[in-house]
Amino acid sequence: MHLSDKAVDPPGEAKPDLDIFLDYAARMGFRDKDGGPLVHWHDPESAFEAWKRCSAGRPCDYTGLTYGKLRGPSGIQWPCNEHAAQGTERLYTDGISWAHPDVCENYGKDLVTGASDSVVEYRSLNPDGKAMIKAAAYLPLHEMPDEEHPFQLTTGRTLYHFHTRTKTGRAPQLNAAAPDVWVEVSAADAAERDLNEGDLVEVSTPRGALRGRLRVTDIRPGLLFVPFHYGYWDTPAGHGPDGNTPGRAANETTITDWDPASKQPLFKTAAAALTLVERGDGRAAPAPTTTASAPSRTGKAGVPPTEGGPTARVTQSGEAPWHGREEGLR
Amino acid sequence: MNGVTLALRALHHGEKHLAEHLTAVAGRHRTEHEIHHVATDVALWSREHVRRLADTGHHYGLDLGEAPDASDSGVLTMLREKAAEAVGRRPEPGLLLLRDLRDLHLGATENSLYWEMLAQAAQAAQAAQAAKDDRLLTLASSCHPQTLRQMRWTNTMIKNLGPQILTSL
């Protein structure tokens, strides 16, 4: 646990989320079982005190934590209670008891269907509550490539951005390295379709389409890759494609499907078609030349290497002071 | 005709029917994405069972046909899916879905009982004869668990979807 204090005041007339929540609770008149106000805290610290009581006796017991302790030289590991006043460095040093059939509240699921296992099945399978390795048999893709959509599209990340780029897009060197969406294709597929680095292409799936400049890489033939970081918050349109802003959000093309056990959406895959929209003008795709989007080794030379530039360089002196935990202060 | 061939025939019929039923339900409820995808996946199990039952049946003098491909359903599937998209957002499909899940569960349960009968008949025959024939027991022990998983899936979906569907009528 770490304490993060307020960094800045909310802008303009915006209120902190906690104040909005407390105001809402007061206006709704939420009551507890004894008729008193359900929400009886008024600031972050009193909310934390209430949360501590919820955690008492649970695996993540916080009852021994206080803001005072958290303002010390370091974060504190839970559980932190009367048995472990300074927190717990290592969990489960005596094995794990939570998976025992008498204790656990959930018995697992079928990894293919998501069906819940019953306590009877679980008890016969794992009477001592040990760790289990569960396997799932291979299943074919729910959307296989076909004549109309001959490629497998996979989506993913670039090293230079995190999620929707609300932070990384505002770091000049990171933004310069990967300013816009691109499409990766294998050298073999590019040659077969007479496509080149920098060509504007459209990737379309049964759900939607996007446009980006082509980067020819050593990706496996039959596969296309598009990074998912590029939505519309920093485009003139603001929230979606329009007449002037073509589609570029990779997640709008992927299949509507999820893992039945965990309910995680499959934002990864689709069967896709690739078509040329416009020949490039000699400029490379806006993709980094480092990491997985590196240009194909068999391709034409001439893609300028990605660099941070002078503003990305730092100097460091020999002796850096260490702000680590000091035993005496505890 | 003996107990084993009776069970093999019943299972072949039952698994073929369940495969078709699962595929029809997947099409009818195209807008319920999890139902659509998982029903399609577990239909593959029943199709595989049909293939293996036909294969095993040859050894007992039975000529059981192979199941039709998923791709044979063609026009009918497409019509079902289009209809599903048109009405999918209205409340009535919820009741239809619960009924379909119930019927699928009953179909899988029938198959499960026949797998048990087949396994029992195979063990009895093995005890009575000197010859060891593991073929039927191998078939039952690898297919029956998947049938049980089909049952558990339909049961879990009814439990998960029931509250919202039944309280919003």
Side-chain angles (χ1 to χ4, degrees):
Chain A
M1 279 290 285
H2 295 271
L3 179 58
S4 289
D5 283 309
K6 178 175 76 169
V8 295
D9 285 319
E13 291 176 19
K15 292 183 181 176
D17 286 346
L18 183 60
D19 288 6
I20 296 171
F21 177 74
L22 293 173
D23 190 14
Y24 175 73
R27 288 166 193 252
M28 291 297 287
F30 292 131
R31 299 278 143 195
D32 65 18
K33 287 185 299 187
D34 305 316
L38 180 67
V39 174
H40 50 83
W41 51 91
H42 58 274
D43 67 357
E45 189 164 3
S46 53
F48 183 63
E49 289 296 318
W51 176 243
K52 278 165 55 175
R53 286 196 285 286
C54 287
S55 74
R58 305 304 297 155
C60 59
D61 194 326
Y62 286 178
T63 51
L65 288 174
T66 62
Y67 270 29
K69 271 189 190 164
L70 290 170
R71 289 195 200 287
S74 166
I76 297 172
Q77 293 157 288
W78 53 262
C80 175
N81 52 21
E82 55 190 0
H83 307 299
Q86 302 309 321
T88 307
E89 196 182 359
R90 251 175 207 90
L91 286 171
Y92 310 135
T93 50
D94 286 330
I96 299 175
S97 61
W98 299 109
H100 193 279
D102 292 339
V103 171
C104 66
E105 296 169 358
N106 190 283
Y107 309 103
K109 295 185 185 181
D110 186 312
L111 293 183
V112 170
T113 68
S116 306
D117 288 338
S118 78
V119 59
V120 168
E121 283 149 9
Y122 182 69
R123 193 181 293 279
S124 70
L125 202 61
N126 194 15
D128 300 318
K130 291 184 188 251
M132 293 162 61
I133 297 179
K134 297 174 88 162
Y138 168 77
L139 283 172
L141 282 179
H142 289 158
E143 181 171 275
M144 293 290 266
D146 57 21
E147 264 190 49
E148 211 186 319
H149 299 99
F151 285 95
Q152 268 180 265
L153 170 66
T154 184
T155 64
R157 302 168 183 267
T158 176
L159 187 64
Y160 294 85
H161 284 304
F162 184 73
H163 280 182
T164 52
R165 299 173 301 115
T166 48
K167 287 184 270 199
T168 53
R170 294 181 164 108
Q173 298 85 358
L174 297 176
N175 193 54
D180 203 345
V181 76
W182 68 90
V183 179
E184 288 176 28
V185 71
S186 73
D189 286 325
E192 196 181 305
R193 286 167 173 68
D194 188 27
L195 294 171
N196 301 296
E197 172 77 29
D199 283 347
L200 182 65
V201 295
E202 181 167 288
V203 174
S204 65
T205 75
R207 263 82 41 200
L210 58 87
R211 291 187 175 184
R213 299 227 168 248
L214 199 64
R215 161 62 48 91
V216 181
T217 71
D218 291 326
I219 203 171
R220 173 163 60 83
L223 203 60
L224 298 174
F225 174 87
V226 175
F228 65 61
H229 305 284
Y230 302 92
Y232 306 102
W233 64 264
D234 57 341
T235 64
H239 57 268
D242 69 6
N244 299 313
T245 310
R248 67 175 191 175
N251 286 349
E252 281 163 11
T253 64
T254 53
I255 190 172
T256 303
D257 193 359
W258 52 86
D259 169 58
S262 68
K263 312 303 179 191
Q264 281 195 80
L266 262 65
F267 281 132
K268 289 295 298 174
T269 61
L274 181 69
T275 46
L276 175 69
V277 175
E278 196 182 84
R279 281 288 173 210
D281 56 7
R283 280 180 298 162
T289 59
T290 62
T291 72
S293 51
S296 169
R297 282 163 290 153
T298 64
K300 304 173 191 170
V303 179
T306 299
E307 278 179 346
T311 58
R313 296 193 192 117
V314 295
T315 55
Q316 183 171 321
S317 62
E319 290 292 312
W322 172 240
H323 293 294
R325 187 188 307 185
E326 282 161 29
E327 293 305 303
L329 285 177
R330 292 185 146 254
Chain B
M1 187 68 72
N2 58 40
V4 165
T5 54
L6 265 170
L8 287 173
R9 269 194 191 284
L11 273 165
H12 184 268
H13 177 86
E15 291 280 16
K16 187 156 162 287
H17 177 74
L18 186 61
E20 286 162 3
H21 195 181
L22 283 162
T23 305
V25 169
R28 202 150 47 230
H29 300 283
R30 187 64 187 84
T31 53
E32 285 284 346
H33 299 277
E34 189 172 328
I35 298 284
H36 171 84
H37 288 301
V38 179
T40 304
D41 287 341
V42 302
L44 291 174
W45 293 344
S46 286
R47 267 193 202 92
E48 176 64 10
H49 296 178
V50 168
R51 192 196 61 74
R52 293 181 65 179
L53 284 158
D55 208 52
T56 302
H58 289 315
H59 295 278
Y60 295 88
L62 294 174
D63 182 20
L64 303 166
E66 300 288 325
D69 247 307
S71 55
D72 286 349
S73 19
V75 174
L76 205 56
T77 305
M78 192 197 64
L79 283 172
R80 263 189 218 113
E81 297 203 356
K82 288 291 167 208
E85 278 161 36
V87 305
R89 296 279 162 249
R90 295 167 55 198
E92 298 84 5
L95 282 178
L96 178 61
L97 176 57
L98 283 181
R99 194 204 69 192
D100 280 342
L101 287 168
R102 185 204 69 193
D103 289 346
L104 287 171
H105 185 84
L106 293 173
T109 305
E110 268 187 35
N111 293 343
S112 175
L113 293 169
Y114 280 125
W115 283 117
E116 278 178 18
M117 288 182 217
L118 183 69
Q120 296 290 75
Q123 281 179 316
Q126 224 175 48
Q129 295 151 22
K132 257 232 168 232
D133 181 2
D134 289 327
R135 202 177 279 118
L136 292 173
L137 282 174
T138 306
L139 180 67
S141 63
S142 76
C143 292
H144 191 191
Q146 288 176 327
T147 303
L148 291 170
R149 290 168 73 188
Q150 288 170 330
M151 288 165 62
R152 284 188 210 119
W153 173 62
T154 45
N155 193 11
T156 293
M157 291 314 294
I158 290 170
K159 276 196 219 163
N160 289 355
L161 299 174
Q164 175 132 8
I165 293 172
L166 296 169
T167 55
S168 62
L169 289 175

